[in-house]
Amino acid sequence: MKGIVLAGGSATRLRPLTSTLSKHILPVYDKPMIYYPLSVLMLAGVRDVLIVHRAHHAGLFRELLGDGSHLGIHIEYAEQDEPNGIAEALIIGADFIGDDQVALVLGDNIFHGPRFTKVLGDSARELDGCALFGYWVSDPRSYAVGETGPDGRLVSLEEKPDRPRSNLAVTGLYMYDSDVVGIAKNMVPSARGELEITDVNRAYLEQGRARLTELGRGFAWLDMGTQESLLHAGQYVQLLEQRQGERIACIEEVALNCGFISPAQCRRLGEQLSGSAYGSYVCHIADRHGPATAA
């Protein structure tokens, strides 16, 4: 499975923070925002990642993440000239996807909760068309809302409905088979000129090949599109990390746990961040996994 992080957009609601800087580089407590969606793909076992970004932000991402080899993954980059909808990332990444399955995650989303790695793995293994992930919200009228049958298959999907049929908001994480590129290319742009991801998902729904997995109680799904939500996300991460002593979306730790890198490689990454609490944590994680003498 390939992975795409959509890190484009103009982030107008976060200005002036984003007047010259990509919002996906902004700190969310102790790490850049893009670490959070990247870690989701890695937890799903994805090792080939495409980051879709605005042209003038290319240098920022390349300096931060490079080609991904230090994490045991491969990262490529592609430009999005204008924010023309989430589904456009699938067209931009058509050659990258090829005949593979793909997971698409929004670059300003945080996913954190129990058994998430298993949920991702099961969804990838059982993928037959489209896999969506739903989150219970008290007022779903601002979201795409999914309704499922007893077998978990999607039976209805509405974008910002006045009378929602359920309380399950469709989150910013999507898994598709290779048919998705052709589906996205045949989509008709909305009145705003955007390629809507809900239209892509609805095409799979009409084929009877869309499932929605509810992320249950105890799970957190956060986006960071405004100053308030960015602050709340940072406070959430701070609280959990300080109380539990473990870090959320530490990509070096994720790479180690997934077997992408060795303890020795992980420790070297921590040493490169020496002087910071984050770097000390990475070194500690490496040492906890065994002798750091392997190649």
Side-chain angles (χ1 to χ4, degrees), residues 15 23 28 57 79 96 115 120 128 169 190 198 219 244:
R15 290 176 181 169
K23 77 171 180 179
V28 181
H57 294 151
E79 296 179 2
F96 170 78
R115 299 177 296 281
L120 292 172
D128 177 22
S190 67
T198 297
F219 203 95
Q244 297 181 354

Side-chain angles (χ1 to χ4, degrees), residues 34 172 197:
I34 198 168
I197 199 68

Side-chain angles (χ1 to χ4, degrees), residues 158-190:
E158 300 175 287
E159 182 70 30
K160 298 179 180 179
D162 292 330
R163 296 178 179 273
R165 297 185 181 184
S166 83
N167 288 80
L168 286 180
V170 177
T171 68
L173 174 62
Y174 319 87
M175 290 184 179
Y176 301 106
D177 65 10
S178 59
D179 292 344
V180 73
V181 173
I183 291 173
K185 286 182 176 180
N186 287 318
M187 288 291 104
V188 176
S190 67

Side-chain angles (χ1 to χ4, degrees), residues 19-286:
S19 295
T20 58
L21 185 68
S22 168
K23 77 171 180 179
H24 304 94
I25 304 293
L26 293 176
V28 181
Y29 183 50
D30 58 350
K31 62 190 74 68
M33 184 186 295
I34 198 168
Y35 276 32
Y36 295 88
L38 178 58
S39 70
V40 170
L41 296 179
M42 294 168 68
L43 288 171
V46 172
R47 300 186 73 165
D48 289 296
V49 177
L50 177 69
I51 295 177
V52 176
H53 57 80
R54 298 296 297 274
H56 54 289
H57 294 151
L60 296 172
F61 291 111
R62 291 181 185 274
E63 185 174 355
L64 178 65
L65 297 170
D67 64 2
S69 58
H70 60 295
L71 299 170
I73 63 176
H74 174 71
I75 298 178
E76 297 181 24
Y77 299 88
E79 296 179 2
Q80 183 186 42
D81 295 329
E82 297 292 336
N84 293 319
I86 296 172
E88 186 185 39
L90 298 165
I91 298 175
I92 293 172
D95 291 340
F96 170 78
I97 297 169
D99 295 327
D100 288 326
Q101 299 174 336
V102 63
L104 170 64
V105 62
L106 303 188
D108 62 354
N109 277 207
I110 289 179
F111 295 85
H112 179 254
R115 299 177 296 281
F116 189 38
T117 301
K118 184 179 186 305
V119 170
L120 292 172
D122 290 347
S123 297
R125 282 188 297 273
E126 298 168 5
L127 183 63
D128 177 22
C130 165
L132 307 177
F133 300 87
Y135 189 79
W136 199 99
V137 295
S138 58
D139 184 1
R141 289 176 296 176
S142 298
Y143 303 90
V145 178
E147 180 187 14
T148 61
D151 60 353
R153 290 200 177 272
L154 201 63
V155 297
S156 73
L157 181 63
E158 300 175 287
E159 182 70 30
K160 298 179 180 179
D162 292 330
R163 296 178 179 273
R165 297 185 181 184
S166 83
N167 288 80
L168 286 180
V170 177
T171 68
L173 174 62
Y174 319 87
M175 290 184 179
Y176 301 106
D177 65 10
S178 59
D179 292 344
V180 73
V181 173
I183 291 173
K185 286 182 176 180
N186 287 318
M187 288 291 104
V188 176
S190 67
R192 297 182 299 175
E194 296 183 356
L195 295 173
E196 302 290 350
I197 199 68
T198 297
D199 290 338
V200 172
N201 298 335
R202 193 173 286 120
Y204 279 101
L205 166 63
E206 292 170 356
Q207 297 175 10
R209 297 197 302 133
R211 299 184 66 87
L212 186 144
T213 298
E214 181 177 356
L215 302 173
R217 294 186 64 177
F219 203 95
W221 169 54
L222 308 169
D223 68 49
M224 295 165 280
T226 66
Q227 283 92 347
E228 290 78 10
S229 60
L230 180 63
L231 176 62
H232 293 161
Q235 291 172 332
Y236 172 83
V237 174
Q238 178 190 30
L239 177 63
L240 263 67
E241 290 189 351
Q242 289 184 348
R243 288 197 174 185
Q244 297 181 354
E246 297 183 349
R247 295 187 183 248
I248 300 171
C250 174
I251 53 178
E252 297 84 359
E253 180 180 13
V254 174
L256 178 60
N257 289 339
C258 290
F260 298 167
I261 60 175
S262 68
Q265 292 170 313
C266 184
R267 183 166 237 292
R268 283 196 291 271
L269 294 177
E271 290 170 350
Q272 292 170 12
L273 300 169
S274 62
S276 70
Y278 186 94
S280 298
Y281 177 81
V282 173
C283 288
H284 169 71
I285 290 298

